Amino acid sequence: MEKLLIIAVTTAIVNNVVLSQFLGLCPFLGVSKKIKTALGMGGAVIGVITIASAVCNLIYDFILVPLNLAYLNTIVFILVIASLVQFVEMFLKKVSPALYEALGVFLPLITTNCAVLGVALTNVQNGYNFIESVVAGFGTALGFTIAIVIMAGIRERIEYNDVPESFKGMPIVLITAGLMAIAFFGFSGIL
């Protein structure tokens, strides 16, 4: 149980997928304008990464390794992730059309979100079993959600501040992301 807690904290905060590994920046920067849409994207990413971690682990352990096809893991994982994102997209369109519209093009971008593939590959690289893979996936997705919600909160506040003309728009967002990365770097010595 202690190992699972360490994996969860490490993946969520210490090795935050966005702010430490710099994976998943496209949806992080694109959907972080409002807290509501950031939470929606975070929820979708939590679902996709957690399920993808579980499914990819099972496919790797019970199909690819026994058949000596482990070298195909990247291609297989991409196909699994793309399928899962399609299911999430259909689910959100049916259950929450407003959130589906708010996420817009960024929802299909979860498919190309390198954070999702990065987690699946990292789980294999670290030799995690099924439970550890699911915990690592959930922790990573939770860390992504924490980062995107913090960024959305900051961006909502920046909107009402007097920002110099040359820093308006994406420059101030990138500076903010850099400062957040520096702040999260402080967690690196914890575990």
Side-chain angles (χ1 to χ4, degrees), residues 39-56:
L39 281 169
M41 176 58 89
V45 168
I46 286 173
V48 169
I49 289 182
T50 304
I51 295 169
S53 295
V55 173
C56 289

Side-chain angles (χ1 to χ4, degrees), residues 18 24-49 85 88 92 99-100 102-111 113 116 141-142 144-146 148-149 152:
V18 176
L25 290 176
C26 182
F28 173 72
L29 296 174
V31 184
S32 62
K33 292 179 183 172
K34 300 288 180 200
I35 291 177
K36 186 175 180 180
T37 55
L39 281 169
M41 176 58 89
V45 168
I46 286 173
V48 169
I49 289 182
V85 170
V88 169
L92 284 179
L99 179 59
Y100 175 80
L103 293 176
V105 71
F106 293 102
L107 186 57
L109 282 178
I110 295 175
T111 302
N113 185 346
V116 183
L142 184 63
F144 177 88
T145 304
I146 290 169
I148 198 170
V149 169

Side-chain angles (χ1 to χ4, degrees), residues 60-71:
Y60 184 80
D61 286 345
F62 295 109
I63 297 173
L64 296 178
V65 170
L67 296 175
N68 288 329
L69 298 173
Y71 61 90

